[in-house]
Amino acid sequence: MSAGFSADEKKAMRARSKEIKAASGKAEDLAAHDEAIAKLPADERELAERIRAMVTSAAPHLDSKTYYGFPAWARDGKVVCFFKPKSKFKVRYSTFEFDTAASLDDGAVWATAFAVHNQLTAADENMLSMLVTKAASGAAALD
């Protein structure tokens, strides 16, 4: 039986609640996005900045915002992808994830999250970039 939400989960929910209340325009969303990256430890900040550059290049029309306190990118107000730093939940690696609006549907099974670290190669960035481009288009959908 579950003892309820952990302290980290409660913190993430409070952060999401603040994001919803504070979402009053793209400038504020961009500022929150930049602040979320700036607050990260140096190694994660470096990785988040690389991810931001990759996403911005692959899909410049996506809007920067935050999602549960994470740096994220959205289309029409819906989060497409986000960077989840390892320090947030004290886990082994950071992840770059796609949310439901990404519509990366590919058969009956497809990946929506990727473990990432600072040794990300150009080939890794290219693979993620192609997924971001596909996700940003919003072309696929579940039937």
Side-chain angles (χ1 to χ4, degrees):
M1 184 174 212
S2 175
F5 293 109
S6 72
D8 285 333
E9 290 169 328
K10 289 177 184 176
K11 186 176 178 181
M13 287 186 282
R14 283 191 299 274
R16 180 63 181 144
S17 178
K18 282 184 181 179
E19 291 165 8
I20 291 169
K21 291 175 185 175
S24 60
K26 291 182 182 181
E28 290 84 1
D29 287 344
L30 178 58
H33 176 94
D34 291 346
E35 183 179 349
I37 291 175
K39 287 181 178 179
L40 294 173
D43 64 327
E44 292 176 304
R45 186 172 51 249
E46 177 186 327
L47 182 55
E49 289 170 351
R50 286 179 65 193
I51 297 281
R52 173 173 41 195
M54 179 270 301
V55 171
T56 302
S57 176
H61 61 284
L62 292 181
D63 296 319
S64 297
K65 62 184 306 169
T66 56
Y67 180 62
Y68 292 96
F70 308 132
W73 296 268
R75 178 186 67 247
D76 301 326
K78 295 184 181 182
V79 171
V80 172
C81 54
F82 58 96
F83 174 75
K84 184 165 64 175
K86 64 185 178 184
S87 61
K88 186 78 170 186
F89 297 108
K90 299 171 184 71
V91 295
R92 188 172 148 224
Y93 48 81
S94 298
T95 58
F96 180 67
E97 303 186 24
F98 294 91
D99 204 42
T100 305
S103 300
L104 291 176
D105 311 20
D106 185 15
V109 178
W110 57 91
T112 60
F114 297 86
V116 293
H117 57 80
N118 288 54
Q119 295 174 353
L120 201 65
T121 66
D124 298 329
E125 286 187 34
N126 186 52
M127 181 271 299
L128 291 174
S129 178
M130 289 188 306
L131 288 172
V132 168
T133 299
K134 179 180 178 180
S137 74
L142 279 174
D143 294 328

